[in-house]
Amino acid sequence: MDASIDAALEAGYRHIDTAYLYGNEAAIGRALKRWFDSGRLKREDLFIVTKLPVVGYQPDRVEKYLKRSLKALQLKYVDLYLVHQPWGLIETGENMLPMDESGNLLHDTTIDHVALWKAMEAQVDAGRTRNIGLSNFNSRQIKRVFLSARIPPSNLQVELHVYFQQRELVAFCAALDITVCAYAPLASPSMIPAFSPLGGDVDSIPRLSPLTEPVVVKIAEKHGKTSAQVLLRHIVQRGISVIPKSSNPDRIRQNFQVNIRYRPSQEGIFDFNLDDEDVRQLDALDRGSQCRLFSGNIHKGMDKHPEYSFNEPY
Ligand SMILES: NC(=O)c1ccc[n+]([C@@H]2O[C@H](COP(=O)([O-])OP(=O)(O)OC[C@H]3O[C@@H](n4cnc5c(N)ncnc54)[C@H](OP(=O)(O)O)[C@@H]3O)[C@@H](O)[C@H]2O)c1
């Protein structure tokens, strides 16, 4: 973990995406402290994003969870605090996936996004976060929060990759001046091995291989780039930010652009442009929501929550 963070910061990454749920906030906090203490980085150089866990959606729990995240990250504020997903679960201690004896998730069906959003706004007022946003919400849910908001959501983080390009949702957000951040931008190649030991229904996850997709490989060869760089560039060229994950220092560098001070090279995703024909071919790979990887259906009964967001067109 430390090596990955060091490699990313050395390569010039300044946006770090984490979540209470990921359990890696403390490791990120320790690494950042090292960088701050050595004078190599200042807090204001970074854009740190974390997320409210699904068991924290009652308004009186928001402050508690954000304070815990800040403590783990060793920060006074984050740059963006996201509601991790629109459907919530009952808080039972530290268990982030509470279930009954039959393995059904314990849904909190009393959550109200408008009330939750007021508690999110209070965190901006208190200076614990600079911005607030949403993740995995659909357009109807975003609109409801937006219309009630004193501080509008600044960002939506959603699954977005070449096979699931989210055109309608991105246009909807643009109309409301909400920026979009693409998670799983490489279609999460390690998702199935990572989820298999958890015992869920991995067969419900579509098998996608954009890195070996012939159209992508051909465009990559044409530009002297890797498939991953073409996939990331395709998203970035649409004005959407990307948060690819890698634990491999070479791929961490490849997915961004090596800081010119360390190694002047043409290795990154910001030093080339996909032309109109490349874009046309990549756009045509969109298969819509049938290629959604993170439907949550790996966990029994996830889609039974009244605020489950993925049953609607976008
Ligand atoms: N809001 C949400 O609900 C939500 C859900 C999922 C994810 N996220 C966020 O999105 C981030 C990324 O999502 P993700 O990890 O699921 O998907 P991803 O970034 O699309 O894929 C990550 C996988 O791709 C491999 N990889 C990375 N760069 C590569 C390259 N250049 N060539 C070949 N393989 C490469 C990595 O393997 P190596 O490590 O071996 O390089 C890793 O297994 C997460 O870290 C998380 O912060 C948010």
Side-chain angles (χ1 to χ4, degrees):
M1 182 79 196
D2 273 23
S4 305
I5 301 169
D6 285 348
L9 293 173
E10 274 158 22
Y13 286 61
R14 294 296 178 260
H15 175 170
I16 296 179
D17 184 73
T18 181
Y20 186 87
L21 184 71
Y22 302 163
N24 61 6
E25 290 174 318
I28 293 169
R30 283 192 298 273
L32 293 182
K33 185 167 186 319
R34 266 195 294 110
W35 277 69
F36 294 148
D37 287 350
S38 69
R40 283 184 292 172
L41 209 57
K42 294 197 212 65
R43 172 63 186 94
E44 56 269 32
D45 297 333
L46 293 167
F47 191 84
I48 309 288
V49 184
T50 194
K51 310 181 192 95
L52 178 68
V54 294
V55 296
Y57 291 179
Q58 294 298 334
D60 61 352
R61 293 192 198 132
V62 176
E63 180 173 325
K64 171 179 80 176
Y65 280 108
L66 180 50
K67 279 182 169 170
R68 284 190 193 177
S69 289
L70 290 173
K71 191 170 177 207
L73 288 163
Q74 303 188 47
L75 297 176
K76 289 196 172 62
Y77 70 92
V78 288
D79 297 277
L80 176 62
Y81 197 46
L82 299 173
V83 181
H84 205 140
Q85 61 183 42
W87 59 96
L89 301 175
I90 288 173
E91 190 187 45
T92 56
E94 275 307 293
N95 185 359
M96 293 292 126
L97 266 183
M99 294 177 196
D100 64 18
E101 297 83 36
S102 318
N104 292 301
L105 289 166
L106 296 179
H107 291 303
D108 182 354
T109 54
T110 68
I111 60 163
D112 172 18
H113 292 157
V114 170
L116 170 58
W117 194 252
K118 290 196 190 323
M120 294 287 285
E121 291 173 327
Q123 302 315 304
V124 180
D125 297 338
R128 293 185 197 98
T129 182
R130 295 272 160 100
N131 299 281
I132 45 180
L134 303 168
S135 182
N136 297 307
F137 278 54
N138 66 31
S139 57
R140 181 184 53 77
Q141 294 165 325
I142 297 166
K143 190 171 170 189
R144 182 160 178 257
V145 170
F146 184 86
L147 290 175
S148 79
R150 177 171 57 86
I151 304 172
S154 64
N155 178 259
L156 175 73
Q157 187 180 119
V158 279
E159 176 178 342
L160 190 155
H161 46 76
V162 77
Y163 295 126
F164 183 28
Q165 298 183 19
Q166 299 264 30
R167 299 265 162 196
E168 297 95 336
L169 190 56
V170 171
F172 176 85
C173 287
L176 298 184
D177 204 19
I178 297 173
T179 58
V180 175
C181 175
Y183 77 70
L186 304 174
S188 202
S190 56
M191 183 181 180
I192 290 171
F195 276 59
S196 295
L198 304 179
D201 175 19
V202 285
D203 292 339
S204 67
I205 303 172
R207 268 54 181 171
L208 307 176
S209 308
L211 294 166
T212 52
E213 166 73 49
V215 168
V216 177
V217 171
K218 211 163 142 235
I219 294 172
E221 280 167 4
K222 173 175 143 186
H223 290 280
K225 293 288 175 181
T226 67
S227 291
Q229 289 174 322
V230 167
L231 293 167
L232 297 174
R233 180 74 210 175
H234 182 228
I235 301 173
V236 167
Q237 235 172 268
R238 290 173 61 196
I240 297 167
S241 60
V242 286
I243 43 172
K245 181 180 74 183
S246 178
S247 49
N248 174 302
D250 284 338
R251 290 197 279 275
I252 287 172
R253 282 188 282 273
Q254 183 193 124
N255 294 345
F256 191 62
Q257 184 165 28
V258 174
N259 188 320
I260 207 96
R261 280 187 295 142
Y262 296 105
R263 199 185 315 169
S265 65
Q266 298 288 302
E267 289 181 27
I269 67 162
F270 297 112
D271 56 8
F272 77 112
N273 272 308
L274 296 167
D275 62 33
D276 291 349
E277 180 54 19
D278 302 332
V279 169
R280 193 192 61 72
Q281 290 185 27
L282 291 164
D283 286 358
L285 294 176
D286 194 4
R287 300 283 175 272
S289 60
Q290 63 175 319
C291 287
R292 186 191 299 280
L293 295 159
F294 289 83
S295 66
N297 286 332
I298 188 162
H299 303 295
K300 217 161 132 189
M302 188 74 98
D303 55 353
K304 300 292 179 287
H305 193 287
E307 291 289 3
Y308 180 75
S309 49
F310 302 143
N311 288 332
E312 297 172 42
Y314 68 93

